[in-house]
Amino acid sequence: MTEAILLVGGKGTRLRPLTVRTPKPMLPAAGVPFLTHQLARARAAGVEHIVLATSYLAEVFEPYFGDGSALGLSLEYVTEREPLGTGGAIRNVASRLTSGPDEPVLIFNGDILTGLDIGALVRTHATSGADVSLHLTRVEDPRAFGLVPTDAAGRVTAFLEKPQTPEEIVTDQINAGAYVFRRSVIDAIPAGRPVSVERETFPDLLAAGAHLQGMVDSTYWLDLGTPQAFVQGSADLVLGRAPSPAVPGRCGDRLILPTASVAPDAKLTGGTVVGEGAHIGAGARITGSTILDNAVVEPGAVVTDSLIGAASYVGARTVLSGVVVGDGARVGADNELREGARVWCDANLPAASIRFSSDE
Ligand code: GDD
Ligand code: MG
């Protein structure tokens, strides 16, 4: 049996730009809290015991996921008093692990949607005899990530978190946020203080001659750090591009949750999700968007790549593209909001208030 640690914490700074009240790990992606997909994928790979290492808003996870039995898991929760960083969070839950010193423990960043073959990462770890094995992926712009150059055998030669200078950009391989640690390596992380695995543990291990093994897997991979990425991830789950056993229903162009109502001639495409109790009016066209519970989209509205908050309102003929409408907000009829616009929770934008012009 393999066990896992799921990191869902940090300072929560990334929640703010979303403008919706639900903490991001609990925000519905393809109809269920995002974390469900990670938990279900780990379970499908044979993981039975998962410790959720949290530093904030822990009180929202436990009431929903409970002991994990609904997902076939044994789930535990550990909340840090102060955020301990990624390494500190891992060390902080070490006492909950049941693995022996040489056994593998999986660790996942809590904001990643990926089709990673988890079993393959565990096998790579076993065959290479590494201390830590890392899932690596390739991205066009690696600056927001941890750079991980490897040698011909896949052995990690350096770990450069968030490179600042062009000279530091030595590879397009990045840390994809899934690891296998030998249990004893976890126990060796200093306890009781903040530690970053990316900035401290990995560089120190490399300096000490430890064996870090990279496994490049170019499957679907997305960090859901921005609202745009979140909406994209949800659509990809619905479309079946991002594999998850937790998508409620069959994959296809749209996912309409049971108590939603959609006018017969509304057009929903591109992996759009319509949440419980939401209503979509006649002739509305919604593409690649997430409509949260009890939202109302009036007739003729055109919504593209947007997140429409719970119990919010989008008026008739309003055009939204790349927008987040906060929970309970009201965007009146005949508005036009484009890429990057964020409507705060409960805000009220009267009809025909804003249109977009490029002035070209
Ligand atoms: N419990 C706990 N406590 N969890 C934390 C803490 C903490 O103090 N700090 C961060 N985390 C969790 C976050 O919730 C997230 O799931 C994960 O650790 C990574 O933190 P992020 O803040 O999302 O980091 P990042 O996206 O900038 O960079 C990380 O992920 C990249 C891939 O998306 C790094 O691991 C990079 O190296 C990596 O490339
Ligand atoms: Mg992240």
Side-chain angles (χ1 to χ4, degrees):
M1 185 201 94
T2 322
E3 57 184 347
I5 300 170
L6 190 53
L7 298 171
V8 276
K11 297 190 181 70
T13 46
R14 302 276 182 95
L15 297 178
R16 231 178 117 73
L18 277 176
T19 322
V20 290
R21 292 190 189 100
T22 311
K24 199 168 58 185
M26 294 300 284
L27 202 58
V32 296
F34 171 68
L35 220 51
T36 319
H37 299 290
Q38 286 191 307
L39 294 171
R41 292 198 81 255
R43 180 67 196 92
V47 176
E48 289 172 353
H49 178 220
I50 298 184
V51 186
L52 224 67
T54 76
S55 65
Y56 72 106
L57 295 167
E59 64 276 10
V60 303
F61 303 125
E62 194 159 1
Y64 186 88
F65 293 108
D67 64 1
S69 53
L71 288 164
L73 284 164
S74 153
L75 209 50
E76 286 186 67
Y77 307 82
V78 176
T79 307
E80 296 140 43
R81 246 174 285 145
E82 295 290 329
L84 289 171
T86 46
I90 295 167
R91 179 64 182 86
N92 190 49
V93 304
S95 64
R96 306 297 183 100
L97 300 172
T98 59
S99 303
D102 284 328
E103 288 184 309
V105 177
L106 279 155
I107 297 171
F108 301 105
N109 283 357
D111 56 352
I112 303 294
L113 182 60
T114 177
L116 167 70
D117 182 343
I118 296 169
L121 185 64
V122 176
R123 287 192 293 279
T124 296
H125 183 76
T127 50
S128 67
D131 298 297
V132 178
S133 302
L134 301 87
H135 171 208
L136 308 181
T137 189
R138 293 198 165 88
V139 292
E140 254 170 52
D141 182 359
R143 282 175 298 176
F145 302 104
L147 260 60
V148 189
T150 49
D151 69 13
R155 189 163 172 158
V156 174
T157 54
F159 194 105
L160 304 153
E161 183 67 12
K162 314 259 158 63
Q164 302 292 317
T165 62
E167 299 78 60
E168 283 182 304
I169 303 177
V170 293
T171 176
D172 61 352
Q173 286 177 187
I174 61 136
N175 167 25
Y179 322 109
V180 182
F181 273 58
R182 180 186 298 149
R183 162 69 197 263
S184 56
V185 175
I186 293 176
D187 293 327
I189 296 172
R193 68 162 171 92
V195 177
S196 158
V197 278
E198 297 88 348
R199 295 182 193 278
E200 183 175 339
T201 310
F202 293 148
D204 284 1
L205 283 168
L206 287 168
H211 180 171
L212 272 61
Q213 184 70 22
M215 186 186 90
V216 181
D217 182 337
S218 306
T219 176
Y220 183 93
W221 186 87
L222 195 63
D223 177 318
L224 304 183
T226 64
Q228 243 46 66
F230 192 91
V231 167
Q232 176 76 55
S234 178
D236 288 339
L237 282 160
V238 172
L239 292 166
R241 289 181 189 150
S244 164
V247 175
R250 260 190 307 169
C251 289
D253 245 6
R254 67 195 68 84
L255 175 66
I256 301 169
L257 295 189
T259 59
S261 68
V262 177
D265 64 345
K267 199 160 175 256
L268 310 180
T269 54
T272 288
V273 186
V274 184
E276 299 283 358
H279 174 74
I280 310 297
R285 278 185 290 138
I286 308 186
T287 308
S289 296
T290 296
I291 316 295
L292 296 181
D293 294 356
N294 303 311
V296 172
V297 179
E298 293 284 23
V302 181
V303 180
T304 310
D305 300 336
S306 295
L307 180 61
I308 308 300
S312 67
Y313 175 90
V314 177
R317 297 169 305 278
T318 279
V319 175
L320 304 176
S321 179
V323 170
V324 179
V325 175
D327 291 348
R330 215 185 144 80
V331 181
D334 299 305
N335 280 292
E336 182 183 8
L337 302 179
R338 298 227 168 242
E339 275 61 30
R342 305 283 179 260
V343 183
W344 292 107
C345 292
D346 301 320
N348 184 5
L349 203 59
S353 298
I354 295 187
R355 77 173 180 93
F356 178 86
S357 166
S358 65
D359 288 328
E360 274 170 13

